[in-house]
Amino acid sequence: MAVNLGKSSVSTNSTLIQNQSNSVKDPVELLKNQVGFKVFDGYCDQNTFNSLIQYGVQSCGLSDKKCEVIMGVEFENKNIVNEKFLLIELDSLLHQFTDSDKKLDQKEKNDAIQFLCKARLGYTHGLNYDVANRFIIDFCRKHRVKVKTGFLKWEIP
């Protein structure tokens, strides 16, 4: 096997190294790399998501919306569960269940938790169970939704 040690191969290697270093300076790539460093278990909680947004805005010079879009695509590519988006889905689901009668029965609560806490196709995690329960309690308090506490007894948690 012959190896070409002429000037052309050296310049090609230096060009390749220069292109690799330029790609690291790209703000989108910097944010994607940060996602890889911060989220390693397939689950991104709200605090990590917010810190990634802050990093994208302050260190990379991107807008909030652009950071969210970039991270959404990166999460999808790496099958990372995004707690913030799942909580938005849970909020929407709870509004569907409770807007008309301001009551959340046990079956509706279990359906919401089962739907969002179960891992979806291609993902290893669903919404954290404790986070979902805390969110439901806060939702009920905020929107004055009653929960069944006994036989024919409804109270705001």
Side-chain angles (χ1 to χ4, degrees):
M1 177 167 95
V3 177
N4 184 4
L5 296 176
K7 272 187 154 182
S8 63
S9 68
V10 173
S11 66
T12 306
N13 287 339
S14 65
T15 305
L16 180 63
I17 291 169
Q18 186 179 9
N19 287 342
Q20 287 175 347
S21 66
N22 286 342
S23 69
V24 173
K25 294 184 178 161
D26 180 30
V28 174
E29 289 300 317
L30 285 172
L31 183 59
K32 286 181 178 181
N33 288 338
Q34 193 68 17
V35 167
F37 292 135
K38 294 253 184 176
V39 182
F40 49 86
D41 62 349
Y43 189 88
C44 181
D45 63 1
Q46 277 188 319
N47 293 333
T48 304
F49 185 82
N50 291 335
S51 71
L52 285 168
I53 293 281
Q54 186 177 10
Y55 175 82
V57 170
Q58 292 177 351
S59 299
C60 301
L62 301 169
S63 68
D64 288 349
K65 291 294 180 188
K66 191 167 186 174
C67 289
E68 283 188 30
V69 170
I70 292 167
M71 289 190 324
V73 170
E74 191 67 12
F75 287 168
E76 183 127 350
N77 288 340
K78 293 183 177 182
N79 292 335
I80 297 172
V81 174
N82 188 348
E83 182 179 272
K84 182 176 180 178
F85 291 152
L86 289 177
L87 289 176
I88 291 170
E89 272 189 60
L90 179 58
D91 184 66
S92 173
L93 193 59
L94 290 173
H95 275 290
Q96 288 177 6
F97 288 154
T98 62
D99 278 352
S100 61
D101 62 355
K102 296 291 184 191
K103 291 182 180 178
L104 182 69
D105 64 20
Q106 192 62 37
K107 183 187 180 319
E108 292 170 335
K109 180 181 176 183
N110 289 340
D111 287 347
I113 288 176
Q114 182 181 7
F115 179 69
L116 290 164
C117 292
K118 184 176 71 169
R120 295 181 180 180
L121 186 62
Y123 293 89
T124 57
H125 300 285
L127 182 63
N128 186 324
Y129 182 78
D130 294 332
V131 171
N133 272 328
R134 256 186 277 125
F135 185 85
I136 290 172
I137 290 170
D138 291 342
F139 176 88
C140 291
R141 289 176 181 165
K142 180 180 175 184
H143 298 286
R144 312 232 4 111
V145 173
K146 296 179 181 178
V147 178
K148 192 167 188 174
T149 58
F151 185 70
L152 299 177
K153 188 174 181 181
W154 297 82
E155 293 179 357
I156 298 173

